[in-house]
Amino acid sequence: MTRIGFIGLGNMGGPMAANLARAGHAVQVFDLVPESLERAIKAGCIVAGDAREAVTGCDLAISMLPAGEHVRGLWLSEVGGQDLLGALPAGALVIDCSTIDVASARAVGAAAKARGIRFLDAPVSGGVAGAAAGTLTFIVGGESSDFEAAKPVLACMGQNLFRAGALGAGQIAKMCNNMLLAIHMAGTAEALALGVKEGLDPGVLSTIMGKSSGNNWSLERYNPWPGVMENAPASRGYEGGFMTRLMVKDLGLAMALAEHAHSAVPMGALARNLFNLHAAKGQGAKDFSSILELYRDKTDPG
């Protein structure tokens, strides 16, 4: 059993912490949302009074936060930050599972190293369903020895554990992945909407494309058309998934990365514009597969 401090119990972090507790670890948690803490108690976690208390007495700490500014504010002392690195003993391991900018991941990692604390950037893929089922993919940046040390804990929350490279590499790989995800989700929605407008059944068309060269993860595992896939967010009003505004954030990170690398990403840029437009229409809190609604007529079936 490992004593783990866990901060950030949103749609992803909550189930992740719960899986650690179910695996027999003592998980000390904190979040700003009372309802999240109540769910954590039911899952067997120990609720702390604040973030510092959550990591007290822990040799391993995990954070799952919305953006780089939150991660820096948690672990560093800059601009009134909480400086939680100062609450950990030398040799402790910090695993940040947030999807953030590379500069923030490297800044926190460098500050941790200066204090003798190990740090991994380890964003995840697999969505809310993967977090609940413990089948996430962890995309890790950092020292290989630290990655090996983290594996037993990560395996309680995920099935696929990859070291992408040095510190920051996890974020780079995650941005590339999510840019591709946005592109094929938008393309899948566009193709389905076209077929339905011409009289095809969305379920039949999905089956045909799923067995043809157009098959992709969005079509096969996360179909954006309501009613086609029972467990997909599309079949529950696009609720409880990966919010559109978070996809917009991730695409913004990918665009910044492309600018830094002087890399042409025309399809990624178009996907960002589409999801940004969708969010601007008041759909930011809906699952990103609701991009279908940009293409779909209200008279379309489903």
Side-chain angles (χ1 to χ4, degrees):
M1 179 183 76
T2 302
R3 182 169 292 275
I4 300 170
F6 200 113
I7 300 164
L9 303 173
N11 288 340
M12 298 293 290
M16 290 165 65
N19 282 330
L20 289 172
R22 292 189 189 102
H25 296 294
V27 186
Q28 299 177 174
V29 301
F30 180 71
D31 193 274
L32 295 174
V33 179
E35 292 80 8
S36 296
L37 295 175
E38 291 172 7
R39 287 192 290 269
I41 291 173
K42 293 178 181 178
C45 299
I46 304 161
V47 170
D50 56 29
R52 184 168 292 270
E53 183 181 326
V55 302
T56 298
C58 298
D59 290 316
L60 193 151
I62 299 173
S63 51
M64 184 56 147
L65 302 172
E69 62 190 86
H70 304 109
V71 175
R72 296 173 77 116
L74 181 73
W75 295 110
L76 304 181
S77 59
E78 60 181 36
V79 196
Q82 298 184 58
D83 190 26
L84 254 62
L85 290 175
L88 295 171
L93 176 60
V94 174
I95 306 172
D96 179 52
C97 295
S98 318
T99 297
I100 61 175
D101 59 289
V102 178
S104 289
R106 288 175 175 166
V108 177
K113 185 176 181 179
R115 295 189 184 213
I117 294 170
R118 299 171 292 165
F119 181 85
L120 296 171
D121 64 293
V124 302
S125 180
V128 176
T135 58
L136 291 170
T137 294
F138 283 86
I139 310 166
V140 183
E143 296 292 336
S144 58
S145 57
D146 298 338
F147 174 58
E148 292 300 320
K151 273 185 174 180
V153 170
L154 298 179
C156 297
M157 302 178 285
Q159 287 185 339
N160 304 297
L161 314 177
F162 298 105
R163 178 176 177 265
L167 184 63
Q171 299 299 338
I172 295 170
K174 176 65 185 292
M175 290 172 206
C176 293
N177 178 80
N178 275 26
M179 184 177 74
L180 178 58
L181 171 62
I183 291 167
H184 64 63
M185 178 57 80
T188 296
E190 188 173 302
L192 285 171
L194 174 61
V196 170
K197 287 179 192 299
E198 286 297 309
L200 297 185
D201 180 279
V204 172
L205 179 56
S206 293
T207 299
I208 292 169
M209 293 193 297
K211 298 298 182 182
S212 304
S213 56
N215 190 32
N216 62 72
W217 185 89
S218 292
L219 184 66
E220 189 176 52
R221 304 282 296 277
Y222 216 85
N223 197 293
W225 200 281
V228 171
M229 191 170 290
E230 182 180 353
N231 295 322
S235 295
R236 52 176 187 269
Y238 299 106
E239 299 294 333
F242 181 55
M243 290 187 289
T244 295
R245 65 169 175 257
L246 293 180
M247 178 56 86
V248 171
K249 180 207 78 170
D250 287 1
L251 287 168
L253 292 174
M255 295 305 102
L257 183 67
E259 183 176 355
H260 179 267
H262 303 292
S263 180
V265 287
M267 294 185 71
L270 178 57
R272 185 195 185 193
N273 286 338
L274 288 169
F275 281 96
N276 209 20
L277 174 62
H278 187 48
K281 290 178 176 288
Q283 307 304 308
K286 286 188 176 182
D287 181 77
F288 81 107
S289 62
S290 64
I291 193 72
L292 176 84
E293 296 182 346
L294 274 182
Y295 302 101
R296 181 181 172 189
D297 290 336
K298 291 183 179 180
T299 56
D300 289 338

mmCIF file of all heavy atoms in Angstrom, residues 104-135:
data_model
loop_
_atom_site.group_PDB
_atom_site.id
_atom_site.type_symbol
_atom_site.label_atom_id
_atom_site.label_comp_id
_atom_site.label_asym_id
_atom_site.label_seq_id
_atom_site.Cartn_x
_atom_site.Cartn_y
_atom_site.Cartn_z
ATOM 1 N N SER A 104 5.051 24.945 -18.938
ATOM 2 C CA SER A 104 4.639 24.796 -17.542
ATOM 3 C C SER A 104 5.090 23.456 -16.972
ATOM 4 O O SER A 104 5.558 23.375 -15.838
ATOM 5 C CB SER A 104 3.116 24.922 -17.417
ATOM 6 O OG SER A 104 2.694 26.244 -17.642
ATOM 7 N N ALA A 105 4.946 22.388 -17.764
ATOM 8 C CA ALA A 105 5.384 21.065 -17.313
ATOM 9 C C ALA A 105 6.880 21.078 -17.011
ATOM 10 O O ALA A 105 7.331 20.554 -15.982
ATOM 11 C CB ALA A 105 5.059 20.014 -18.369
ATOM 12 N N ARG A 106 7.650 21.693 -17.890
ATOM 13 C CA ARG A 106 9.101 21.728 -17.692
ATOM 14 C C ARG A 106 9.493 22.634 -16.538
ATOM 15 O O ARG A 106 10.464 22.356 -15.815
ATOM 16 C CB ARG A 106 9.774 22.154 -18.993
ATOM 17 C CG ARG A 106 9.713 21.049 -20.058
ATOM 18 C CD ARG A 106 10.278 21.493 -21.394
ATOM 19 N NE ARG A 106 10.315 20.366 -22.330
ATOM 20 C CZ ARG A 106 10.495 20.485 -23.629
ATOM 21 N NH1 ARG A 106 10.642 21.703 -24.173
ATOM 22 N NH2 ARG A 106 10.516 19.414 -24.416
ATOM 23 N N ALA A 107 8.758 23.716 -16.329
ATOM 24 C CA ALA A 107 9.062 24.625 -15.222
ATOM 25 C C ALA A 107 8.849 23.941 -13.880
ATOM 26 O O ALA A 107 9.683 24.048 -12.974
ATOM 27 C CB ALA A 107 8.200 25.884 -15.323
ATOM 28 N N VAL A 108 7.728 23.231 -13.748
ATOM 29 C CA VAL A 108 7.460 22.522 -12.492
ATOM 30 C C VAL A 108 8.465 21.392 -12.311
ATOM 31 O O VAL A 108 8.976 21.166 -11.211
ATOM 32 C CB VAL A 108 6.019 21.986 -12.458
ATOM 33 C CG1 VAL A 108 5.772 21.186 -11.177
ATOM 34 C CG2 VAL A 108 5.017 23.135 -12.556
ATOM 35 N N GLY A 109 8.786 20.692 -13.410
ATOM 36 C CA GLY A 109 9.771 19.613 -13.322
ATOM 37 C C GLY A 109 11.142 20.110 -12.896
ATOM 38 O O GLY A 109 11.825 19.473 -12.090
ATOM 39 N N ALA A 110 11.556 21.258 -13.425
ATOM 40 C CA ALA A 110 12.855 21.816 -13.063
ATOM 41 C C ALA A 110 12.884 22.239 -11.594
ATOM 42 O O ALA A 110 13.880 22.023 -10.885
ATOM 43 C CB ALA A 110 13.171 23.008 -13.959
ATOM 44 N N ALA A 111 11.787 22.842 -11.132
ATOM 45 C CA ALA A 111 11.713 23.254 -9.727
ATOM 46 C C ALA A 111 11.733 22.041 -8.804
ATOM 47 O O ALA A 111 12.347 22.065 -7.729
ATOM 48 C CB ALA A 111 10.441 24.072 -9.498
ATOM 49 N N ALA A 112 11.054 20.972 -9.236
ATOM 50 C CA ALA A 112 11.055 19.748 -8.439
ATOM 51 C C ALA A 112 12.463 19.161 -8.354
ATOM 52 O O ALA A 112 12.938 18.780 -7.274
ATOM 53 C CB ALA A 112 10.089 18.736 -9.047
ATOM 54 N N LYS A 113 13.141 19.099 -9.489
ATOM 55 C CA LYS A 113 14.494 18.537 -9.519
ATOM 56 C C LYS A 113 15.436 19.317 -8.614
ATOM 57 O O LYS A 113 16.289 18.733 -7.921
ATOM 58 C CB LYS A 113 15.013 18.537 -10.953
ATOM 59 C CG LYS A 113 16.373 17.869 -11.114
ATOM 60 C CD LYS A 113 16.789 17.823 -12.575
ATOM 61 C CE LYS A 113 18.144 17.125 -12.733
ATOM 62 N NZ LYS A 113 18.545 17.066 -14.177
ATOM 63 N N ALA A 114 15.277 20.643 -8.569
ATOM 64 C CA ALA A 114 16.127 21.480 -7.725
ATOM 65 C C ALA A 114 15.946 21.163 -6.245
ATOM 66 O O ALA A 114 16.847 21.425 -5.427
ATOM 67 C CB ALA A 114 15.829 22.947 -7.988
ATOM 68 N N ARG A 115 14.796 20.587 -5.895
ATOM 69 C CA ARG A 115 14.513 20.231 -4.500
ATOM 70 C C ARG A 115 14.727 18.742 -4.239
ATOM 71 O O ARG A 115 14.379 18.241 -3.179
ATOM 72 C CB ARG A 115 13.072 20.600 -4.150
ATOM 73 C CG ARG A 115 12.799 22.090 -4.188
ATOM 74 C CD ARG A 115 11.432 22.370 -3.608
ATOM 75 N NE ARG A 115 11.102 23.791 -3.732
ATOM 76 C CZ ARG A 115 10.374 24.447 -2.846
ATOM 77 N NH1 ARG A 115 9.914 23.820 -1.777
ATOM 78 N NH2 ARG A 115 10.084 25.713 -3.021
ATOM 79 N N GLY A 116 15.231 18.028 -5.237
ATOM 80 C CA GLY A 116 15.452 16.596 -5.064
ATOM 81 C C GLY A 116 14.188 15.779 -5.162
ATOM 82 O O GLY A 116 14.112 14.662 -4.647
ATOM 83 N N ILE A 117 13.186 16.320 -5.846
ATOM 84 C CA ILE A 117 11.905 15.641 -6.016
ATOM 85 C C ILE A 117 11.769 15.200 -7.472
ATOM 86 O O ILE A 117 12.103 15.944 -8.399
ATOM 87 C CB ILE A 117 10.741 16.578 -5.624
ATOM 88 C CG1 ILE A 117 10.815 16.884 -4.128
ATOM 89 C CG2 ILE A 117 9.387 15.971 -5.989
ATOM 90 C CD1 ILE A 117 9.865 17.970 -3.675
ATOM 91 N N ARG A 118 11.297 13.991 -7.682
ATOM 92 C CA ARG A 118 11.117 13.456 -9.040
ATOM 93 C C ARG A 118 9.783 13.936 -9.605
ATOM 94 O O ARG A 118 8.816 14.096 -8.867
ATOM 95 C CB ARG A 118 11.161 11.933 -9.006
ATOM 96 C CG ARG A 118 12.499 11.376 -8.501
ATOM 97 C CD ARG A 118 12.438 9.877 -8.277
ATOM 98 N NE ARG A 118 11.558 9.532 -7.156
ATOM 99 C CZ ARG A 118 11.104 8.311 -6.913
ATOM 100 N NH1 ARG A 118 11.421 7.311 -7.724
ATOM 101 N NH2 ARG A 118 10.334 8.078 -5.874
ATOM 102 N N PHE A 119 9.754 14.164 -10.922
ATOM 103 C CA PHE A 119 8.537 14.704 -11.536
ATOM 104 C C PHE A 119 8.315 14.076 -12.909
ATOM 105 O O PHE A 119 9.253 13.946 -13.704
ATOM 106 C CB PHE A 119 8.640 16.227 -11.686
ATOM 107 C CG PHE A 119 7.417 16.866 -12.296
ATOM 108 C CD1 PHE A 119 6.331 17.202 -11.519
ATOM 109 C CD2 PHE A 119 7.366 17.124 -13.668
ATOM 110 C CE1 PHE A 119 5.202 17.789 -12.086
ATOM 111 C CE2 PHE A 119 6.238 17.702 -14.251
ATOM 112 C CZ PHE A 119 5.163 18.039 -13.443
ATOM 113 N N LEU A 120 7.065 13.717 -13.186
ATOM 114 C CA LEU A 120 6.654 13.197 -14.487
ATOM 115 C C LEU A 120 5.469 13.988 -14.997
ATOM 116 O O LEU A 120 4.535 14.277 -14.231
ATOM 117 C CB LEU A 120 6.245 11.719 -14.386
ATOM 118 C CG LEU A 120 7.315 10.704 -13.983
ATOM 119 C CD1 LEU A 120 6.659 9.352 -13.726
ATOM 120 C CD2 LEU A 120 8.390 10.580 -15.061
ATOM 121 N N ASP A 121 5.490 14.371 -16.264
ATOM 122 C CA ASP A 121 4.260 14.866 -16.891
ATOM 123 C C ASP A 121 3.608 13.649 -17.533
ATOM 124 O O ASP A 121 4.235 12.939 -18.310
ATOM 125 C CB ASP A 121 4.527 15.990 -17.879
ATOM 126 C CG ASP A 121 5.367 15.595 -19.078
ATOM 127 O OD1 ASP A 121 6.550 15.287 -18.877
ATOM 128 O OD2 ASP A 121 4.841 15.611 -20.212
ATOM 129 N N ALA A 122 2.359 13.404 -17.183
ATOM 130 C CA ALA A 122 1.705 12.153 -17.591
ATOM 131 C C ALA A 122 0.250 12.379 -17.971
ATOM 132 O O ALA A 122 -0.667 11.859 -17.333
ATOM 133 C CB ALA A 122 1.801 11.127 -16.457
ATOM 134 N N PRO A 123 0.000 13.166 -19.023
ATOM 135 C CA PRO A 123 -1.386 13.347 -19.465
ATOM 136 C C PRO A 123 -1.991 12.013 -19.907
ATOM 137 O O PRO A 123 -1.275 11.072 -20.233
ATOM 138 C CB PRO A 123 -1.255 14.319 -20.640
ATOM 139 C CG PRO A 123 0.148 14.140 -21.126
ATOM 140 C CD PRO A 123 0.956 13.837 -19.902
ATOM 141 N N VAL A 124 -3.316 11.968 -19.913
ATOM 142 C CA VAL A 124 -4.006 10.708 -20.184
ATOM 143 C C VAL A 124 -4.896 10.814 -21.408
ATOM 144 O O VAL A 124 -5.307 11.896 -21.818
ATOM 145 C CB VAL A 124 -4.854 10.263 -18.972
ATOM 146 C CG1 VAL A 124 -3.990 10.124 -17.742
ATOM 147 C CG2 VAL A 124 -5.989 11.247 -18.715
ATOM 148 N N SER A 125 -5.209 9.662 -21.976
ATOM 149 C CA SER A 125 -6.174 9.554 -23.058
ATOM 150 C C SER A 125 -7.113 8.399 -22.723
ATOM 151 O O SER A 125 -6.705 7.434 -22.072
ATOM 152 C CB SER A 125 -5.456 9.294 -24.387
ATOM 153 O OG SER A 125 -6.384 9.192 -25.451
ATOM 154 N N GLY A 126 -8.354 8.510 -23.170
ATOM 155 C CA GLY A 126 -9.311 7.444 -22.900
ATOM 156 C C GLY A 126 -10.647 7.937 -22.407
ATOM 157 O O GLY A 126 -11.612 7.176 -22.327
ATOM 158 N N GLY A 127 -10.723 9.225 -22.062
ATOM 159 C CA GLY A 127 -12.006 9.814 -21.691
ATOM 160 C C GLY A 127 -12.518 9.393 -20.330
ATOM 161 O O GLY A 127 -11.886 8.640 -19.589
ATOM 162 N N VAL A 128 -13.696 9.905 -20.013
ATOM 163 C CA VAL A 128 -14.316 9.637 -18.709
ATOM 164 C C VAL A 128 -14.598 8.150 -18.525
ATOM 165 O O VAL A 128 -14.411 7.593 -17.440
ATOM 166 C CB VAL A 128 -15.612 10.461 -18.564
ATOM 167 C CG1 VAL A 128 -16.320 10.118 -17.260
ATOM 168 C CG2 VAL A 128 -15.294 11.959 -18.599
ATOM 169 N N ALA A 129 -15.035 7.490 -19.595
ATOM 170 C CA ALA A 129 -15.309 6.052 -19.502
ATOM 171 C C ALA A 129 -14.042 5.285 -19.169
ATOM 172 O O ALA A 129 -14.055 4.356 -18.353
ATOM 173 C CB ALA A 129 -15.903 5.547 -20.810
ATOM 174 N N GLY A 130 -12.920 5.666 -19.789
ATOM 175 C CA GLY A 130 -11.652 5.009 -19.506
ATOM 176 C C GLY A 130 -11.170 5.270 -18.091
ATOM 177 O O GLY A 130 -10.592 4.393 -17.449
ATOM 178 N N ALA A 131 -11.432 6.481 -17.594
ATOM 179 C CA ALA A 131 -11.053 6.804 -16.216
ATOM 180 C C ALA A 131 -11.839 5.945 -15.231
ATOM 181 O O ALA A 131 -11.290 5.431 -14.248
ATOM 182 C CB ALA A 131 -11.293 8.286 -15.950
ATOM 183 N N ALA A 132 -13.134 5.790 -15.488
ATOM 184 C CA ALA A 132 -13.975 4.988 -14.595
ATOM 185 C C ALA A 132 -13.609 3.510 -14.644
ATOM 186 O O ALA A 132 -13.599 2.822 -13.618
ATOM 187 C CB ALA A 132 -15.445 5.179 -14.965
ATOM 188 N N ALA A 133 -13.291 3.016 -15.841
ATOM 189 C CA ALA A 133 -12.988 1.590 -16.009
ATOM 190 C C ALA A 133 -11.546 1.242 -15.671
ATOM 191 O O ALA A 133 -11.194 0.060 -15.604
ATOM 192 C CB ALA A 133 -13.286 1.174 -17.448
ATOM 193 N N GLY A 134 -10.710 2.257 -15.471
ATOM 194 C CA GLY A 134 -9.294 1.993 -15.198
ATOM 195 C C GLY A 134 -8.538 1.531 -16.422
ATOM 196 O O GLY A 134 -7.565 0.790 -16.307
ATOM 197 N N THR A 135 -8.955 2.019 -17.592
ATOM 198 C CA THR A 135 -8.337 1.575 -18.846
ATOM 199 C C THR A 135 -7.645 2.716 -19.591
ATOM 200 O O THR A 135 -7.461 2.659 -20.803
ATOM 201 C CB THR A 135 -9.389 0.940 -19.766
ATOM 202 O OG1 THR A 135 -10.441 1.887 -20.019
ATOM 203 C CG2 THR A 135 -9.981 -0.305 -19.131
#
